[in-house]
Structure formats: C-alpha cells, structure tokens
Amino acid sequence: MTKQRHTKTVFKTTFTTAALSSALLTLFGCAASHDTNTSTDTSANIKLAHSESQLVKAESQDIALPLTKLKNGLSLTLHYQTHADHSNTQSAYKDTHANNTSKDARANNKHKSYNDTHAININVKQHKGISLSNSEGKKHFIAGHYTLARAEVVESNSKQWVSLVVFNNNTQYIEVYRINAASLEVYQPQTQLTKGSEAICATTSSAGELQIVNIDATGTLNQYEFYNGRFLSLRDFAIGPGIKSCAINANTETLYLADEFAGVWQLDTDIESELAKTLIFHDQDVAIEGVATLSSTTVDGVDIAAWVSPDASGVWLKAPCLTKFVSLMNTANESNSATRQLKANNRSTSIQPEFVHLSLSEEGTHISLVVDDESGDVFSAELPSKLSAALLHRQCGTDFKATSPKENHMDKAYTDNSASQHANLTIKVKPDVETDPVENHGDAADDPAIWVNSHSASQSRIIGTDKKGALNSYDLAGKLVQSLPVGRVNNVDVGYKVSVAETKAQQSDTPLIDIAVASNRSNNSLSVVEIDKRGHMTQLGHISTTLNDIYGMCLFVSGGIAHVFANDTSGRFERYSVSIAPDKTVYGHLTQSFSLPSQPEGCVVDTKTSTAYLGEEGAGIWALDITTNSNQPQFIAEIEAPVEADVEGLALFNVDAQTYLIASSQGNNSYAIYHVHTENPEVLELMGLVQITADKAAQIDGVSETDGLDVTNANLGGRFTEGLWVVQDGRNVMPSETQNFKLVAGASLKDAIRKLANAKRERH
C-alpha cells in the first residue's frame, strides 16, 4: 500500500521523563505537572523585559493587558438544579474569576427559568486535597495530592451529578469521581493505573463521551474514553519528551500539546486518524509550558487556543485565521525592590506564566484568561472587545495580523467541505469480529481472502497476509489458526476445485483441490498453498514471474485451471495459468502482459460477465474482458469525490439480485460502493460510501486506511448467515496493537447498500 504524504512531523519513539509538578498546575484542568529554575532577581527581569521588547517590535500592533491578582487563587463553581425537569439540560460550569458560563446553559436558560439553582465550589490545594461545598451548606473533602483534569455537572437518570477527573499524584492513578450534586456524597472512584503523568487533560464531547488524555513518564500519550463506567483504552503511542500540558477541543477533535523543546503541537483526537502531529508554533527563544482551549461547550465549532511561556510575559492567542501575542502587565503591589524600581520608571512588571486558562463571558462576547506566575500568584484579565470579536467570529480582515509566520493550519471543521457535502451518501456499520493482531509491527497486515469450507461452512477461514513474513489463517471468531512463514506475501486470493493432473495409474475422475495464491515480494513469485477440508494450509511451491517488484494479485478458476493476474509497482500486469502435477508440484505459464499508467494493487474477477476489475491506486478502476488473452483494459471509473485515493482492495457482492463492486477509499477511511450493470459490466455507478465505525460495547475499534478486502455471499452460519465482509485495518486501536482484520456480517453490509440504493432512487 502507498501511504499518504503529509507535511507533518511523524512520531518518533522517545522515552524521556519531563519535569516535575508545580503547585499551581494542580489547581485546574489540562495543566501539566512541571517545575522551573528561572531566577526572579533584577537581572532576570531585565532579560525578560528585553525578550518582550523583541517580541513587541515584531508586532504590527501590540496589546498589553493589565492583570488583576486573585487573592484566593483559581477556584471553580458548578451550577445544578435539584427539582426542575432538567432532562434536556446540558452540563455547565462557571469559573468564578473568569466569569464563564457554558453557551448550552445560556441557550437553555432562554427557554426555562429555574428557582432552585445551586452552586458547588471546588478547590484543589497542593498536597492537601479537594474541597467541595455547595450552597445548601454541604461540604466534603477528599484528602490527597491531585491534579484536576476536568470538573462538570452531568445528567444521569434524571439526576445531576458532579463528574470529577483527577490524577492522584500519590498513587499514580487517574480517578473519575461521581459526586451527588445535592448531598456531595462521593461514590467509589473508577481508576486507571498509569506510569505517571507529565500532562493530563479531559473533555466531554457533544455526544456525551468523556475523553481523557494522559502523557506519562515514559513519553507515551495514552488516550482513554470513560465508557459505561469504566476506562476504555483507545490508543497509545510515543509522543516524546518535553510535553508540559495539554488541552482538548472536543468539537473539532483537536488536541494541543505544549512542548518546551519544540513549541505547540496539534493532533487529531479521532483514534482512526493518522498518527502525525503538526507544529503550529515555534520560537527558539521561548519554552512553551502552558496551553488551553476555550471550552468546546461554549462556542460550537470555534477552535480557539492559547499558550504561554515563562520566557515571555504574555500569551499567544490562536484562532484558525489569527494568531496574536498579547503582553501581560502585573500592576499589583509587590515588595520586591527591583519591582518597585521598575514602577518608579513607569514600567509595569513582568510575570513568568506557566499555566493559562480561557473562558467566555456570560453574554458570550468577551474572552477572559487566567494565568499564573512562577511565584505562585494567579492573575486574571479580559481581552479587548475587538480582539475577542476577531477570535470568536473569525474576523480575518481585522487589523490584527498573524504574528507567527509558521501558522498555516486551517480549522478542519471549516475546510473539509467535501465530507459534509457527501455526508448523506455515507452509511456506517459496525464490525462483528476482529482477528488476532499480526505478529509484525508497522504496516504489516495487508490483504485478506475468505475460504468457504464446502464441508462445514462454520469452519471456513480468513486467510490474511502479514507482508513482513507470513501467510496466516483465522477462524470466524478471529482466532489465529495457522501461520506459514512463506516470505513477504502482499496479496492473496483463493480458488476452488482446481485440477490436479492425472497419472497413468489413476482410473478415477481428476482430483480437485482448493488453493490459495499469494504474491511474494521475497522472490517476486506467486506462492501456492493447498487448503484441505479442515482449512489447513500446505505449501506447494512458488511460480516465478518476470515482474520486477511483485505487488497485488487476484485469480479465477475456469475449467479446473487457475488463472492468476499479478502486478508490480510499475503498473505492469502478467497473467499466468497454473497447473499442478500429480506430485503437487506447481507450474505457471505466462499467457498475457499489459500495463496501467501507474501503480495498481487490488483486482477481482467476475466470472459471470468475464470481467476483471483492476485498481490503479491513484487514478481509479479499469475493466478487462478476460475471454481472450489479447484484450486490453479500459478505464471506467475515475477517483473523484466522495471517493479518495488510494483505491486498493476490490471485491464483488450481490444484494437483491444486483451486483456491487466494493473498493477501499483509503483517503477517507471508507469504502466506495459501485453498482455493476450486468448487461454492461464496464459501466459502474457510484452509490455512495460505507464506513466501519467502532463497536465500543464489544471493544472493537473502527477501520481506517484499508488496503485489501474480500466479501462472500455464502451462508457461513451464526452471525454470518447472509455472508461475510473482511477488511484490513491499517490502524488497530482500542487498545493500540499491531494491525489486524475486521469482520462485518453480510447482513449489515446488505442493509447499508440497500440504504444507499434507496437514497439514490429518491434523488432521481
């Protein structure tokens, strides 16, 4: 398979522990544990002021915000109702200092009025614990040393509860608490053991899913979902050293990481997305330590982030079309003599922020922020109206200019228009079974083939390639049954009732066997194996080819003779007829050669119409009349929206007496469904897309970046009485493991295709 190329930095495996925690960052969510050794003497302040002046000079317009010191530090207040019918009420919280109330709550309040609104105050103190109190006079204290990742009021069984996500620094567990909002009764927390925490953040998606990200002491990013009262591991991967804090925007599925060595990274939180990160900010003179997002419950679809560095007395603010540095001035009274001297010169003092928190005013018009200073003080400030409006309403034409030349990322929620335009053409199904993961790491699993056992359908097998060294077979429960170390086999297909040549002593009918053939890149050959009635594979031999870099293949059987189409990465195809000697020695005879313009891989043959369909990965689908060896392929289906390259796996499936060609649309993790016109098999009509999404109850992830696939209409019994669809999964997560194959019931696939066909008829 050809992986897509992106202008991104792909993760490298690094395992270095980042710095230890500070007092402030145990106070409020998405903040990393850290420390600092920055001096606060006069020379350090002068150096910092010089650094700021350099930043100011680089700006077309500089903004300086005065800070207000918060005497009691940062606290959190949650609001709930006890008696009203709040079955439709969304969770909301208010930051008492930043004056933040969720937009969902404001929208609900326009339609409802409550006379029983109560408040819960939450305070987390370093080395002591979590204090909770509400306006009904109830109090509760949870002793310990915690980092707070998320606190909100949620709805459950017509009651409201406080959901609290924390990291317990004493036990190294992530803990999720459920607290009765009225009585403050604390139920036993659900826990997840970690290897420490350098940064932790959490959020609740619009679908009500609690998402948690923790970067542990080994430099591994662990992504969880709290599902049905338990931790569900979604994926984990090496992220490297230097991550100081993180923040999640659930609406845009975006994760921000503050990296003290590199700057600010942006990642996709969709677990089926490519493991790549984009560096959206870098300045070699500043070490970024704190990052935050405006709560996704406050402004739907708006992606606003902020980050800070102790090397600059200010904050960077980012929206999709604007990045702005804003200076921060500490005008509070201080006893430091150097500070008094700076004030005497009518110059405001600097701070060294390591933490930042964003919030929105109750009216939804002004953005406020809270930052800390390395001394432990906490400050708040409100952005100017014009800047708030520019960030909130995407006023790209304002006088505010982007201050980072490296900022070139556009919010995917607004630039990915093709997905929304074709959303009505996409049907989602869930996998029923997944196979055991392959032995080899990286891009290893590639192509499956279904062998239907004519003696016992429930004992049928999935034969799949591990292209780093083996041909595997799995039962219908996904368990690995056999692994043949035949070499770097890439694609595989099966053939039934293949003739074995008779000997002179044979008086009976010609013996027939089932075979599997795989393209073997170890020696540019076709590897042939026999499949007995139990599904056991026995290697028969190899057929040499003249291809330079063998890649994909498919086969069909006619008159007891197997015919194999094999291709290489240059686009060249070769057709071989396979003969099997009485001693089971295999031979191949080259009968045809032709070429496509660029790299092909998948192919499938419809013996009813004598048509082979060939996939050219970056261009589309070709058709070949196989009735003679002299015909040339014709290009019949170009890759165009909603289908995205690469087109790799191809298979044929029958629904309601109609034939459909299924092609992997690798670029958007989907499958294109084409109606094949039986009377004219060279005409394909695109019906729409099918996606395979996660079944969280069964703990089977969805499917992404599929290479090969296969499908059968055969009744295999059990859940597969209406057939079986098998696909390769390029990213096997929930939890993260080596690649594998996913099995989907034919009934689910039929239902999806019927929906696409019905939608097509309605549009016409």
Side-chain angles (χ1 to χ4, degrees):
M1 123 182 168
T2 302
K3 298 294 183 183
Q4 298 180 27
R5 300 293 186 261
H6 298 273
T7 310
K8 298 179 179 178
T9 300
V10 178
F11 295 130
K12 298 180 179 179
T13 305
T14 343
F15 299 95
T16 304
T17 304
L20 300 175
S21 64
S22 72
L24 176 66
L25 295 188
T26 59
L27 290 178
F28 191 75
C30 293
S33 50
H34 64 283
D35 69 352
T36 179
N37 57 6
T38 307
S39 173
T40 58
D41 61 16
T42 304
S43 61
N45 283 331
I46 293 174
K47 180 180 180 181
L48 181 59
H50 173 72
S51 175
E52 289 174 21
S53 67
Q54 295 299 106
L55 287 167
V56 171
K57 289 178 182 179
E59 306 243 353
S60 58
Q61 294 185 23
D62 183 57
I63 299 174
L65 295 182
L67 297 172
T68 300
K69 184 177 179 181
L70 304 178
K71 295 181 180 179
N72 297 321
L74 179 64
S75 63
L76 190 67
T77 298
L78 309 179
H79 289 165
Y80 70 100
Q81 290 81 36
T82 55
H83 302 105
D85 175 13
H86 43 253
S87 59
N88 294 320
T89 303
Q90 302 295 319
S91 61
Y93 69 86
K94 181 176 181 179
D95 180 334
T96 54
H97 297 293
N99 196 26
N100 175 34
T101 302
S102 87
K103 183 178 180 181
D104 290 335
R106 293 195 307 275
N108 285 330
N109 288 335
K110 292 179 181 178
H111 304 287
K112 297 182 180 182
S113 60
Y114 298 105
N115 55 12
D116 63 340
T117 300
H118 300 272
I120 299 173
N121 297 311
I122 299 178
N123 195 297
V124 183
K125 294 184 178 180
Q126 185 185 23
H127 306 305
K128 293 184 179 181
I130 303 172
S131 298
L132 301 101
S133 62
N134 65 17
S135 53
E136 297 180 82
K138 302 294 184 180
K139 294 183 179 180
H140 193 88
F141 181 74
I142 306 173
H145 182 189
Y146 298 98
T147 298
L148 179 61
R150 181 73 173 177
E152 62 186 335
V153 172
V154 297
E155 181 85 16
S156 176
N157 298 324
S158 299
K159 295 182 180 180
Q160 290 189 344
W161 306 82
V162 176
S163 174
L164 201 64
V165 183
V166 299
F167 179 76
N168 190 325
N169 294 284
N170 293 331
T171 65
Q172 305 300 296
Y173 277 89
I174 300 172
E175 300 176 351
V176 175
Y177 285 87
R178 190 183 187 194
I179 303 168
N180 186 295
S183 67
L184 294 187
E185 179 183 2
V186 178
Y187 293 84
Q188 184 68 28
Q190 298 297 313
T191 62
Q192 175 66 44
L193 182 62
T194 71
K195 297 179 181 179
S197 180
E198 300 302 316
I200 185 169
C201 50
T203 191
T204 299
S205 71
S206 58
E209 301 165 336
L210 177 58
Q211 304 281 341
I212 303 169
V213 169
N214 182 61
I215 292 89
D216 66 25
T218 70
T220 300
L221 188 151
N222 301 273
Q223 187 174 346
Y224 304 96
E225 181 177 313
F226 195 65
Y227 180 79
N228 283 349
R230 57 183 175 144
F231 281 85
L232 179 61
S233 177
L234 300 181
R235 61 177 179 176
D236 57 83
F237 48 87
I239 196 68
I243 307 300
K244 307 293 286 186
S245 63
C246 64
I248 308 172
N249 185 308
N251 282 351
T252 59
E253 295 186 310
T254 304
L255 173 67
Y256 294 95
L257 299 175
D259 185 335
E260 65 174 334
F261 302 132
V264 180
W265 297 100
Q266 181 171 289
L267 297 82
D268 194 331
T269 60
D270 180 358
I271 62 173
E272 299 295 348
S273 63
E274 183 181 6
L275 286 182
K277 56 185 180 179
T278 303
L279 188 64
I280 63 171
F281 176 82
H282 170 72
D283 188 326
Q284 63 181 3
D285 296 324
V286 297
I288 303 300
E289 298 206 4
V291 66
T293 59
L294 191 63
S295 173
S296 58
T297 61
T298 59
V299 185
D300 293 338
V302 173
D303 190 6
I304 297 174
W307 52 86
V308 294
S309 167
D311 300 323
S313 183
V315 58
W316 284 266
L317 296 159
K318 172 197 170 293
C321 59
L322 171 67
T323 301
K324 181 69 180 175
F325 179 80
V326 177
S327 298
L328 299 174
M329 302 182 298
N330 175 14
T331 57
N333 291 326
E334 300 287 350
S335 59
N336 184 282
S337 59
T339 299
R340 291 199 301 270
Q341 181 61 43
L342 287 172
K343 283 191 173 185
N345 295 331
N346 294 321
R347 296 179 63 185
S348 299
T349 59
S350 300
I351 65 167
Q352 295 174 282
E354 299 171 327
F355 163 80
V356 61
H357 168 58
L358 294 179
S359 58
L360 192 66
S361 67
E362 188 169 359
E363 299 78 16
T365 57
H366 291 82
I367 298 173
S368 298
L369 58 86
V370 174
V371 294
D372 71 325
D373 185 36
E374 63 89 29
S375 63
D377 293 331
V378 182
F379 304 90
S380 68
E382 184 177 281
L383 299 185
S385 300
K386 188 176 181 181
L387 181 54
S388 289
L391 292 166
L392 290 169
H393 304 296
R394 300 174 176 272
Q395 296 176 1
C396 303
T398 64
D399 293 335
F400 299 115
K401 305 297 183 182
T403 59
S404 171
K406 302 175 181 67
E407 172 62 39
N408 57 11
H409 176 76
M410 292 300 295
D411 190 338
K412 66 179 179 182
Y414 286 84
T415 58
D416 188 12
N417 294 324
S418 61
S420 61
Q421 291 171 359
H422 300 282
N424 63 325
L425 296 175
T426 302
I427 304 298
K428 296 181 179 180
V429 300
K430 292 182 178 180
D432 292 87
V433 175
E434 64 178 340
T435 69
D436 290 334
V438 297
E439 178 181 359
N440 291 296
H441 291 265
D443 185 24
D446 194 274
D447 186 47
I450 303 169
W451 174 73
V452 178
N453 189 330
S454 60
H455 300 278
S456 176
S458 63
Q459 298 302 309
S460 298
R461 296 286 183 260
I462 309 302
I463 300 175
T465 61
D466 178 343
K467 60 186 179 185
K468 295 188 177 181
L471 188 64
N472 300 329
S473 70
Y474 308 87
D475 63 21
L476 297 184
K479 300 300 181 183
L480 179 66
V481 176
Q482 187 182 5
S483 183
L484 287 179
V486 295
R488 296 188 297 116
V489 285
N490 202 68
N491 281 33
V492 64
D493 203 354
V494 297
Y496 301 92
K497 298 181 179 180
V498 178
S499 301
V500 177
E502 297 182 19
T503 64
K504 293 181 180 180
Q506 287 177 323
Q507 302 296 322
S508 60
D509 293 337
T510 302
L512 303 174
I513 63 172
D514 293 347
I515 65 171
V517 179
S519 54
N520 195 326
R521 304 186 75 182
S522 293
N523 49 22
N524 283 319
S525 70
L526 295 168
S527 297
V528 183
V529 302
E530 179 182 1
I531 309 171
D532 68 18
K533 62 182 181 180
R534 301 170 300 160
H536 184 79
M537 299 185 297
T538 301
Q539 184 173 348
L540 299 182
H542 304 282
I543 297 173
S544 297
T545 72
T546 64
L547 299 172
N548 293 322
D549 185 15
I550 197 169
Y551 204 49
M553 58 78 55
C554 61
L555 68 81
F556 70 98
V557 178
S558 177
I561 304 299
H563 300 267
V564 180
F565 288 99
N567 59 62
D568 68 11
T569 54
S570 71
R572 181 174 175 79
F573 270 86
E574 292 185 344
R575 177 174 173 177
Y576 288 85
S577 61
V578 178
S579 59
I580 304 175
D583 63 355
K584 299 291 182 71
T585 302
V586 294
Y587 300 92
H589 176 60
L590 179 63
T591 61
Q592 184 179 9
S593 296
F594 58 88
S595 292
L596 299 187
S598 64
Q599 179 172 300
E601 184 171 4
C603 62
V604 65
V605 177
D606 188 346
T607 54
K608 294 179 181 179
T609 63
S610 298
T611 305
Y613 296 98
L614 318 172
E616 185 183 1
E617 290 188 356
I621 300 171
W622 296 70
L624 175 69
D625 182 350
I626 63 171
T627 54
T628 71
N629 295 334
S630 58
N631 292 327
Q632 292 297 307
Q634 299 180 38
F635 189 65
I636 61 172
E638 183 180 4
I639 295 176
E640 56 184 1
V643 183
E644 296 184 13
D646 291 344
V647 167
E648 298 203 11
L650 297 175
L652 294 163
F653 191 57
N654 295 321
V655 181
D656 301 330
Q658 300 294 315
T659 301
Y660 294 89
L661 177 66
I662 305 172
S664 55
S665 175
Q666 195 179 78
N668 53 9
N669 302 326
S670 304
Y671 306 90
I673 308 297
Y674 296 93
H675 179 224
V676 179
H677 292 260
T678 306
E679 63 282 359
N680 188 355
E682 295 178 351
V683 175
L684 298 181
E685 180 184 7
L686 179 63
M687 309 303 292
L689 301 179
V690 174
Q691 289 183 336
I692 303 175
T693 59
D695 185 341
K696 293 176 183 175
Q699 296 190 43
I700 303 176
D701 62 305
V703 179
S704 53
E705 209 169 53
T706 289
D707 285 357
L709 55 87
D710 197 11
V711 68
T712 181
N713 281 98
N715 180 354
L716 303 183
R719 69 186 79 192
F720 304 123
T721 56
E722 296 187 54
L724 171 63
W725 181 26
V726 182
V727 302
Q728 181 258 7
D729 185 9
R731 286 185 280 270
N732 183 27
V733 293
M734 217 170 76
S736 295
E737 295 179 300
T738 55
Q739 294 177 338
N740 69 351
F741 302 94
K742 301 296 194 289
L743 283 63
V744 178
S748 298
L749 179 57
K750 285 183 179 179
D751 183 60
I753 292 176
R754 287 179 182 129
K755 289 178 180 178
L756 291 174
N758 290 336
K760 192 82 170 179
R761 283 193 292 269
E762 290 174 1
R763 286 194 298 272
H764 292 291

